[in-house]
C-alpha cells in the first residue's frame, strides 16, 4: 500500500470513481481517515513484518528447501533435486519407527492427559477455602521447564531411583521396578508418564476456562430437578464444554506429535530407536549432520501430518446438528 | 433424594482427599529436587528409600550450589537468560499490543485479512519452522558498530539477537490483547480524540493502562518459553558466553556426574520462575480462565 504522508487523498483515490458508490465511500471522506490509515498501518507493521520474516518466509523456504540439496554451511550452490529427500526419507526404517513411536505416544497421552486435566479442573472449579493454593500447585509442573523435568525424572527413573523405591514401598515390596529408560519396552511408557505429569496443568487451565463459562443457573435448574452429581456432569457440564473439548484435543495432539525435549535430554532416541521421534530425527539430521534440505523434508512431512490429524479431529468433533 | 448433612460432608471430605492426592503427585518431584540439592550424593541415595527423601534433614548445606558455580559459568548463563527473556517480554508486549490496538480499535483498511493471516500462524508448530529458520537466519545481514566503523557481516548465528528477535511477534499474544481490547469501551477513544489526542497517545494513555491483566498474561506466556528455550539455542548458539541456562545442563554430564550438583543447578534455574509465577499467579490464571478461551 502506498500512502503519501502529504495531507492529500491517497493516490489510488484518483483511479477509483468506479467504486466510489461502494459502501466504504462515506468513511473515506471522514476527517482523519488518511491519518488513521497511516497510524494504523504503522502500528501493525512491526508485528506483521516480524511474523512475515520469521514465520511466513521460513515456512515457505522450508517448503522449497525440502526439494533441494541445501546444507547449513556449504561451498556448493543449492540445487533442485526433486523429491529425492522424500524418497530417501520414506525408505528409511528409522523414520517409520519414529512415526510409530510418536503415534504410540499420542494415542496414550491425548486421552489420558485430557481426562486427568479435566478431573483437576473439576476439583478446583468451585470456590472453596484454599482454591488458589491448589490451582497454583497443580500448575507448578507447567512452570517447570521440560528440560529440568526431564533431567529430574531421569534421576528418579534410575534402577535404584525414587520411582522404583516408591513403587516398592506402596506395593509392600511386590513390584520390582524396571530399569525404565534403558529398556526398549519401558522407555516410552516412562517418557509418557513424565510428559503427562508436566503438561496436564496447562490443559487444566483451558478446561477451567470452559467450566467457568457454563452458566450457573443451569446447575441450579438441574439440582431442582433432582439431578445427581454425575447427571449434572453428563447433561450440563459435558455439553457445555463442546468447544473447549476440541481445543484441548487439538492442542494436546499437536504437542504430542512434536515430542522432542524429553527425548533429547533423556534417551537420545534410544534404546534401539524405541523413543526416537519425527522432530528428533529432523533435528538430528538438520543440526548434527547439517543437512538442512533433508531436515526440511522431515519438517514438511510433520506439518502435513499435523494438518491431517487436526483436520480429522475437527471432522470427528464437528457439530452434529 | 436429598443429600443429608453427613453424606455431603463425607463427599466434600472425599473430594478434598482427592485434591490433596493430586497435589502430592504434582509436587513430589519438585520437593525431591529442592531437598536433594541440599544433600551430598551419598545421602541422597541413602535417603531414597524412606520419607527422608522429601525432608531437608541430615547433612544439609549449600555445598552443591557452590560447586555448580565452579563447574559451570552459571552466573553468565543466568544473566544471559534474564537479559534475553526480559528484552523479549518487553518488546513482545509493545509490538503485539500495538498491533492488536490497531486491529481492534482503528478503522484500518484490510485489517481483517491481516488479522486472519496472523491467526493462521498459530497452526504452524515451531518445530517445523526451526530448521528452515536456522538456515534463514544464517543468510540474514547483520550490522555492528565497531568503534566508528560500521561492520557488516552475514549470518545471525551465535548472537543475542538470534535468541530474541524471531520471538518478539507472537500471534497468540496479539490474539489475547485483541480479545481484551474489545472489552474496553470504544467511547473512551472518542472522548480522547475530541480532546485532540493522537492514536498513539490513546494507545499509551487510555487503552494500555486498562489492559493490565492481558499484559500480565502475555508477559508470563512470553517469559516461560524464552526462559525455557532449549531446542533453538542448541542449534544457533555455540559460544559459551552467549548461552542460556537450559544449555548449561549439558555441562553436568561431561565428567563424573554428581546428582546433588545437577539438582542444585535444576533448582537454581527453576526457583526464579516459580517465584515470578506465584507473584503473578492470580491475574494469570484468572485472565486465562476469563479472556483466553471461551467454551
Amino acid at each position: 500500500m502506498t500512502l503519501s504522508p502529504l495531507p492529500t487523498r491517497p493516490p489510488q483515490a484518483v483511479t477509483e470513481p468506479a467504486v466510489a458508490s461502494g459502501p466504504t465511500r462515506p468513511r473515506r471522506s471522514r476527517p482523519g481517515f488518511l491519518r488513521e490509515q497511516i497510524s494504523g498501518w504503522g502500528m501493525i507493521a512491526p508485528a506483521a513484518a516480524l511474523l512475515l520474516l520469521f514465520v511466513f518466509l521460513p515456512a515457505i523456504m522450508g517448503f522449497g528447501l525440502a526439494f533441494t540439496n541445501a546444507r547449513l554451511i556449504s561451498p556448493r550452490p543449492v540445487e533442485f533435486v526433486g523429491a529425492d529427500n522424500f524418497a530417501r526419507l520414506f525408505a528409511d526404517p528409522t523414520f517409520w519407527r519414529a512415526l510409530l513411536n510418536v503415534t504410540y505416544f499420542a494415542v496414550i497421552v491425548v486421552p489420558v492427559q485430557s481426562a486427568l486435566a479435566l478431573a483437576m479442573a473439576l476439583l478446583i472449579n468451585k470456590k472453596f477455602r484454599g482454591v488458589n493454593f491448589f490451582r497454583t500447585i497443580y500448575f507448578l509442573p507447567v512452570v517447570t521447564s521440560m528440560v529440568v523435568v526431564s533431567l529430574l525424572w531421569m534421576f528418579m527413573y534410575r534402577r535404584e531411583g525414587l520411582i522404583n523405591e516408591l513403587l516398592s514401598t506402596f506395593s509392600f515390596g511386590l513390584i520390582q521396578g524396571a530399569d525404565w529408560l534403558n529398556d526398549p519396552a519401558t522407555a516410552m511408557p516412562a517418557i509418557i508418564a513424565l510428559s503427562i505429569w508436566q503438561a496436564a496443568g496447562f490443559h487444566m487451565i483451558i478446561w477451567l476456562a470452559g467450566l467457568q463459562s457454563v452458566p450457573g443457573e443451569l446447575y441450579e435448574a438441574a439440582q431442582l430437578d433432582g439431578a445427581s452429581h454425575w447427571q449434572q456432569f453428563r447433561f450440563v457440564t459435558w455439553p457445555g464444554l463442546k468447544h473447549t473439548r476440541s481445543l484441548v484435543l487439538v492442542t494436546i495432539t499437536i504437542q504430542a506429535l512434536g515430542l522432542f525435549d524429553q527425548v533429547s535430554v533423556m534417551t537420545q532416541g534410544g534404546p534401539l530407536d524405541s523413543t526416537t521421534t519425527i522432530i528428533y530425527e529432523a533435528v538430528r539430521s538438520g543440526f548434527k549432520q547439517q543437512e538442512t534440505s533433508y531436515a526440511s523434508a522431515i519438517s514438511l512431512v510433520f506439518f502435513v501430518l499435523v494438518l491431517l490429524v487436526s483436520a480429522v479431529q475437527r471432522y470427528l468433533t464437528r457439530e452434529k446438528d | 433424594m436429598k443429600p443429608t448433612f453427613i453424606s455431603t460432608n463425607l463427599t466434600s471430605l472425599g473430594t478434598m482427599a482427592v485434591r490433596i492426592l493430586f497435589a502430592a503427585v504434582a509436587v513430589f518431584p519438585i520437593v525431591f529436587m529442592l531437598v536433594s540439592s541440599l544433600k551430598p550424593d551419598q545421602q541422597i541415595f541413602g535417603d531414597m528409600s524412606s520419607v527422608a527423601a522429601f525432608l531437608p534433614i541430615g547433612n544439609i548445606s549449600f555445598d552443591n550450589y557452590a560447586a555448580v558455580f565452579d563447574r559451570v559459568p552459571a552466573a553468565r548463563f543466568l544473566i544471559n537468560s534474564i537479559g534475553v527473556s526480559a528484552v523479549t517480554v518487553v518488546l513482545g508486549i509493545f509490538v503485539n499490543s500495538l498491533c492488536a490496538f490497531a486491529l481492534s480499535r482503528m478503522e484500518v483498511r484490510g485489517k481483517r485479512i491481516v488479522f486472519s493471516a496472523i491467526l493462521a500462524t498459530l497452526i504452524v508448530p515451531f518445530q517445523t519452522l526451526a530448521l528452515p529458520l536456522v538456515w534463514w537466519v544464517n543468510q540474514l545481514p547483520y550490522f555492528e558498530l565497531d568503534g566508528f566503523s560500521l561492520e557488516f557481516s552475514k549470518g545471525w548465528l551465535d548472537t543475542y539477537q538470534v535468541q530474541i528477535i524471531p520471538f518478539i511477534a507472537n500471534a497468540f499474544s496479539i490474539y489475547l490483547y485483541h480479545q481484551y481490547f474489545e472489552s474496553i469501551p470504544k467511547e473512551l477513544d472518542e472522548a480522547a480524540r475530541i480532546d485532540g489526542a493522537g492514536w498513539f497517545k490513546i494507545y499509551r494513555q487510555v487503552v494500555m493502562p486498562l489492559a493490565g491483566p492481558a499484559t500480565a498474561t502475555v508477559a508470563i506466556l512470553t517469559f516461560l518459553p524464552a526462559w525455557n528455550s532449549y531446542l533453538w539455542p542448541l542449534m544457533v548458539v555455540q559460544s559459551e558466553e552467549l548461552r542460556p541456562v537450559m544449555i548449561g545442563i549439558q555441562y553436568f554430564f561431561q565428567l563424573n556426574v554428581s546428582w546433588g550438583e545437577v539438582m542444585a543447578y535444576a533448582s537454581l534455574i527453576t526457583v526464579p520462575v516459580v517465584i515470578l509465577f506465584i507473584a503473578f499467579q492470580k491475574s494469570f490464571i484468572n485472565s486465562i480462565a476469563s479472556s483466553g478461551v471461551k467454551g
Side-chain angles (χ1 to χ4, degrees):
Chain A
M1 205 174 202
T2 49
L3 285 173
S4 133
L6 295 168
T8 53
R9 297 180 137 219
Q12 61 265 55
V14 187
T15 58
E16 246 180 44
V19 258
S21 54
T24 54
R25 178 72 184 139
R27 255 203 254 156
R28 215 147 236 274
S29 49
R30 209 183 65 208
F33 171 82
L34 183 58
R35 222 182 128 169
E36 191 166 353
Q37 300 307 303
I38 296 171
S39 316
W41 278 100
M43 287 171 157
I44 292 170
L50 286 168
L51 286 174
L52 197 68
L53 209 54
F54 296 109
V55 179
F56 282 100
L57 276 177
I60 295 165
M61 265 172 216
F63 191 85
L65 285 169
F67 297 92
T68 66
N69 64 354
R71 298 181 65 87
L72 186 58
I73 296 151
S74 166
R76 286 183 303 150
V78 176
E79 277 172 37
F80 180 78
V81 295
D84 282 8
N85 289 317
F86 295 94
R88 192 179 136 203
L89 181 62
F90 294 136
D92 181 1
T94 316
F95 167 74
W96 294 107
R97 186 64 217 249
L99 193 62
L100 183 75
N101 290 340
V102 166
T103 312
Y104 174 24
F105 183 82
V107 163
I108 308 281
V109 165
V110 171
V112 175
Q113 188 173 319
S114 337
L116 282 175
L118 178 58
M120 284 153 73
L122 286 169
L123 284 171
I124 55 164
N125 181 33
K126 300 228 171 69
K127 288 256 185 293
F128 61 94
R129 272 171 66 93
V131 65
N132 273 329
F133 170 77
F134 282 101
R135 285 180 179 182
T136 309
I137 293 286
Y138 289 177
F139 200 73
L140 222 44
V142 184
V143 181
T144 316
S145 115
M146 191 52 105
V147 174
V148 168
V149 168
S150 307
L151 201 67
L152 176 58
W153 283 72
M154 205 168 120
F155 184 44
M156 302 200 316
Y157 275 138
R158 286 157 54 98
R159 184 171 267 293
E160 62 287 353
L162 188 65
I163 295 291
N164 283 344
E165 292 292 348
L166 286 176
L167 281 176
S168 161
T169 307
F170 284 105
S171 69
F172 303 103
L174 277 177
I175 300 178
Q176 287 296 315
D179 191 2
W180 296 98
L181 295 172
N182 291 319
D183 182 341
T186 53
M188 190 52 106
I191 291 182
I192 287 174
L194 90 97
S195 307
I196 293 173
W197 176 82
Q198 196 267 351
F202 182 76
H203 294 97
M204 169 194 82
I205 297 285
I206 304 184
W207 282 122
L208 196 58
L211 289 175
Q212 303 275 326
S213 71
V214 179
E217 305 90 70
L218 291 181
Y219 290 108
E220 283 162 28
Q223 273 160 9
L224 282 178
D225 290 345
S228 68
H229 282 297
W230 166 249
Q231 284 169 327
Q232 286 179 37
F233 176 78
R234 176 69 190 79
F235 298 108
V236 179
T237 313
W238 191 241
L241 292 173
K242 198 158 58 185
H243 297 290
T244 315
R245 268 197 321 253
S246 53
L247 184 71
V248 169
L249 195 65
V250 170
T251 49
I252 297 189
T253 309
I254 294 180
Q255 174 210 316
L257 294 174
L259 176 64
F260 171 78
D261 286 354
Q262 299 93 306
V263 170
S264 168
V265 174
M266 301 174 85
T267 61
Q268 286 86 47
L272 300 172
D273 284 340
S274 62
T275 58
T276 195
T277 70
I278 302 176
I279 298 301
Y280 189 74
E281 286 305 313
V283 172
R284 179 145 72 185
S285 49
F287 166 59
K288 296 223 170 86
Q289 288 144 30
Q290 307 218 330
E291 292 183 288
T292 303
S293 58
Y294 189 58
S296 298
I298 303 181
S299 304
L300 189 59
V301 170
F302 174 74
F303 183 56
V304 171
L305 185 74
V306 167
L307 277 191
L308 272 179
V309 171
S310 18
V312 168
Q313 285 178 336
R314 287 204 166 229
Y315 177 76
L316 291 177
T317 58
R318 72 194 184 280
E319 312 213 350
K320 293 179 184 106
D321 39 38
Chain B
M1 87 190 162
K2 264 200 167 158
T4 64
F5 178 73
I6 293 172
S7 81
T8 8
N9 257 343
L10 272 181
T11 328
S12 66
L13 210 66
T15 317
M16 192 47 97
V18 179
R19 279 182 193 133
I20 291 170
L21 181 74
F22 270 86
V25 173
V27 90
F28 87 89
I30 298 171
V31 172
F32 175 65
M33 171 180 85
L34 293 173
V35 167
S36 299
S37 76
L38 300 169
K39 295 175 181 173
D41 271 23
Q42 262 185 327
Q43 203 198 325
I44 298 176
F45 289 110
D47 288 351
M48 200 92 84
S49 53
S50 69
V51 72
F54 302 108
L55 297 173
I57 49 171
N59 193 358
I60 295 301
S61 72
F62 283 97
D63 290 355
N64 287 326
Y65 288 87
V68 158
F69 282 89
D70 282 342
R71 193 194 273 250
V72 184
R76 182 82 227 176
F77 293 169
L78 280 168
I79 291 168
N80 287 342
S81 273
I82 292 170
V84 165
S85 312
V87 174
T88 313
V89 168
V90 170
L91 291 178
I93 287 173
F94 178 64
V95 164
N96 294 316
S97 63
L98 201 62
C99 177
F101 174 84
L103 292 175
S104 157
R105 307 181 77 85
M106 296 173 69
E107 294 295 334
V108 182
R109 282 296 189 86
K111 70 175 185 179
R112 251 172 252 281
I113 299 168
V114 174
F115 194 41
S116 318
I118 288 172
L119 292 184
T121 64
L122 284 173
I123 60 159
V124 188
F126 174 71
Q127 292 102 321
T128 62
L129 289 179
L131 290 151
L133 195 56
V134 175
W135 187 84
W136 171 228
V137 294
N138 196 32
Q139 316 294 318
L140 287 174
Y142 175 43
F143 302 96
E144 198 176 21
L145 265 179
D146 183 23
F148 291 102
S149 67
L150 191 68
E151 295 277 308
F152 170 84
S153 58
K154 194 187 112 179
W156 282 19
L157 295 186
D158 220 18
T159 57
Y160 280 121
Q161 86 259 23
V162 77
Q163 301 178 60
I164 297 171
I165 295 175
F167 305 102
I168 293 172
N170 182 291
F172 193 61
S173 303
I174 295 174
Y175 172 77
L176 280 178
Y177 268 119
H178 187 273
Q179 294 297 93
Y180 202 85
F181 288 163
E182 292 287 304
S183 71
I184 301 173
K186 298 230 158 93
E187 291 79 43
L188 292 175
D189 300 14
E190 271 155 39
R193 272 166 64 81
I194 289 165
D195 291 346
W199 285 106
F200 189 75
K201 200 169 178 189
I202 297 175
Y203 159 80
R204 199 165 53 91
Q205 293 183 350
V206 178
V207 175
M208 276 310 268
L210 294 172
T215 302
T217 308
V218 167
I220 288 185
L221 289 182
T222 314
F223 179 83
L224 279 181
W227 183 269
N228 293 340
S229 72
Y230 174 68
L231 170 62
W232 184 247
L234 200 64
M235 294 193 292
V236 297
V237 181
Q238 276 88 41
S239 309
E240 186 172 272
E241 67 268 22
L242 297 173
R243 283 182 175 157
V245 285
M246 293 303 152
I247 304 297
I249 278 164
Q250 294 177 331
Y251 287 62
F252 291 91
F253 296 95
Q254 283 162 357
L255 291 166
N256 49 332
V257 181
S258 157
W259 282 102
E261 290 177 27
V262 174
M263 292 300 124
Y265 188 72
S267 307
L268 195 68
I269 63 182
T270 303
V271 168
V273 190
V274 171
I275 292 173
L276 208 65
F277 170 69
I278 290 174
F280 284 103
Q281 178 274 124
K282 218 170 168 183
S283 60
F284 172 66
I285 291 184
N286 288 346
S287 78
I288 285 273
S290 60
S291 83
V293 274
K294 283 280 181 198

